């Protein structure tokens, strides 16, 4: 693992690029090299190198419209006398924060540290407050659950035509945007199961609705995934001591109907299903306290269902 701090990118790539652009812009406005050096806090010899572009620059910064606009704004401020070095620093810091928020600094950071790819990393702009930690825990659980599902052969047989998704809600979730899932879902492709992307918040509708209704009845249940309904799968659930709950397939009023059906039970069963209707594929939802819990239970059920089907044949 290569350990690279975002600050290293700022020092080694952002600032040299910013200095080159600023020096060139000020040079065009008639500033002497010594005046530019005084503004940028470097030597006159360094300015000569900057103006003559003898310093390597990062295209992802230099070609970004936000940096171009910032450089022009600072140069104009210096030229008019309306901006001093502190004002310029504030402009550059604001730009750095933008670039650290899933911008070019993030892109370079992931390139230098591949371990960050797909994490939805926001360490630079969000810090480590409790809400952020909760979001990262949810994303981590959904990523691991997706890996479990795509790495299990038996799951292939139970991916619906519409695809499988797995989602997990934040502890205080109020709506679909508080639940992370897989954008584009998990699909069966040429006999294997593959995920379309890494998890994001707000990437699910139906799984999110199911999770949120289940969570109302049992606050510990914050995750769910969908599979194709089959008698073998439901029998596997019953063999595992789960009494599956059936609810209406129709999209209109589905969540309210599920809420009413759950109210009839003393506890929320970990398997909910419907038989489908015209234009709606039969789907079974497997619940869990975390996305990993839901995935592990789903894998146990599909493997048991496959074993039972093989024995019967």
């Amino acid at each position: 693992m290569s350990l690279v701090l975002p600050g290293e990118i700022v020092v080694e790539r952002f600032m040299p690029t910013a200095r080159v652009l600023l020096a060139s812009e000020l040079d065009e406005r008639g500033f002497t090299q010594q005046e530019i050096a005084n503004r940028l806090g470097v030597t006159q010899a360094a300015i000569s190198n900057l103006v003559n572009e003898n310093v390597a620059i990062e295209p992802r910064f230099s070609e970004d419209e936000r940096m171009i606009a910032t450089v022009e704004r600072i140069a104009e401020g210096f030229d008019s006398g309306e901006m001093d070095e502190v004002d310029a620093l504030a402009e550059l810091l604001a730009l750095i924060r933008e670039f650290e928020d899933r911008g070019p600094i993030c892109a370079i950071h992931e390139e230098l540290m591949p371990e960050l790819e797909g994490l939805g990393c926001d360490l630079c702009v969000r810090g480590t407050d409790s809400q952020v930690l909760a979001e990262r825990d949810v994303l981590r659980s959904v990523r691991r659950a997706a890996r479990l599902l795509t790495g299990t052969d038996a799951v292939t047989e139970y991916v619906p035509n519409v695809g499988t998704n797995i989602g997990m809600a934040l502890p205080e979730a109020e709506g679909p945007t508080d639940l992370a899932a897989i954008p584009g879902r998990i699909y069966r492709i040429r006999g294997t199961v593959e995920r379309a992307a890494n998890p994001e918040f707000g990437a699910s509708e139906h799984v999110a609705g199911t999770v949120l209704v289940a969570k109302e009845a049992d606050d510990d249940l914050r995750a769910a995934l969908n599979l194709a309904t089959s008698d073998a799968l439901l029998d596997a659930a019953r063999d595992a001591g789960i009494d599956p709950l059936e609810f209406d397939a129709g999209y209109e009023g589905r969540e309210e109907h599920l809420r009413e059906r759950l109210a009839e039970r003393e506890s929320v069963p970990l398997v909910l299903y419907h038989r489908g209707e015209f234009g709606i594929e039969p789907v079974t939802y497997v619940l869990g306290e975390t996305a990993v819990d839901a995935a592990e239970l789903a894998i146990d059920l599909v493997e048991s269902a496959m074993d039972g089907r093989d024995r019967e044949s």
Side-chain angles (χ1 to χ4, degrees):
M1 174 179 173
S2 56
L3 185 59
V4 180
L5 295 174
E8 296 177 61
I9 299 169
V10 173
V11 171
E12 296 171 6
R13 301 202 191 190
F14 177 87
M15 283 309 301
T17 301
R19 287 190 177 110
V20 167
L21 296 181
L22 268 171
S24 298
E25 185 70 24
L26 292 172
D27 181 64
E28 290 180 5
R29 291 173 179 270
F31 281 66
T32 67
Q33 290 191 356
Q34 189 58 57
E35 286 174 332
I36 298 172
N38 292 340
R39 292 288 190 176
L40 302 189
V42 296
T43 65
Q44 186 272 328
I47 293 301
S48 178
N49 286 327
L50 292 173
V51 171
N52 293 315
E53 298 185 356
N54 293 328
V55 176
I57 63 174
E58 171 56 61
R60 279 171 284 196
F61 296 145
S62 64
E63 297 173 6
D64 191 291
E65 293 182 358
R66 291 169 293 181
M67 172 161 261
I68 294 171
T70 298
V71 167
E72 291 178 351
R73 192 160 53 248
I74 293 173
E76 175 62 30
F78 282 166
D79 198 15
S80 66
E82 296 178 357
M83 187 177 293
D84 60 18
E85 288 78 5
V86 175
D87 296 321
L89 178 62
E91 291 279 345
L92 291 173
L93 286 172
L95 182 61
I96 288 169
R97 283 193 290 271
E98 282 192 52
F99 282 2
E100 287 178 334
D101 189 2
R102 297 176 176 84
I105 288 179
C106 293
I108 296 169
H109 203 186
E110 288 186 355
E111 184 179 283
L112 296 175
M113 195 172 172
E115 294 83 359
L116 293 171
E117 291 183 9
L119 296 184
C121 175
D122 56 4
L123 284 168
C124 296
V125 294
R126 297 288 300 279
T128 55
D129 60 75
S130 59
Q131 176 69 12
V132 172
L133 292 175
E135 290 178 5
R136 289 178 189 144
D137 285 343
V138 167
L139 289 169
R140 187 181 301 112
S141 185
V142 176
R143 281 196 303 275
R144 185 182 168 202
R147 287 197 297 270
L148 289 172
L149 294 171
T150 56
T152 303
D153 291 340
V155 171
T156 306
E157 298 293 323
Y158 283 90
V159 174
N161 292 326
V162 295
T164 287
N165 210 336
I166 181 160
M168 181 175 172
L170 292 167
E172 306 301 326
E174 296 180 354
T177 57
D178 295 324
L179 181 137
I182 306 296
R185 304 185 184 182
I186 297 170
Y187 280 98
R188 182 174 58 246
I189 302 175
R190 293 185 295 277
T192 63
V193 181
E194 299 180 13
R195 60 176 171 171
N198 286 300
E200 295 178 4
F201 282 93
S204 167
E205 180 179 350
H206 298 307
V207 169
T210 301
V211 170
L212 293 172
V213 172
K215 189 175 181 299
E216 287 178 18
D218 184 339
D219 196 50
D220 290 332
L221 295 176
R222 293 166 45 202
L225 63 91
N226 65 304
L227 300 170
T229 297
S230 78
D231 289 333
L233 183 66
L234 298 176
D235 287 342
R238 295 183 184 99
D239 290 342
I242 301 169
D243 183 13
L245 175 68
E246 183 175 7
F247 65 100
D248 286 347
Y251 292 130
E252 186 175 350
R254 176 188 291 184
E255 292 175 14
E256 185 55 38
H257 178 256
L258 177 57
R259 188 176 287 107
E260 292 172 357
R261 295 286 287 121
L262 288 174
E264 299 171 2
R265 295 284 188 96
E266 292 183 1
S267 60
V268 179
L270 296 181
V271 175
L272 316 172
Y273 72 99
H274 64 70
R275 295 287 186 178
E277 59 180 42
F278 182 76
I280 300 177
E281 190 175 6
V283 165
T284 294
Y285 292 93
V286 179
L287 309 179
E289 293 188 8
T290 69
V292 171
D293 291 339
E296 289 177 340
L297 175 57
I299 289 168
D300 288 343
L301 295 179
V302 298
E303 288 181 339
S304 178
M306 295 287 287
D307 289 342
R309 192 175 66 179
D310 291 341
R311 285 195 300 270
E312 290 177 3
S313 61

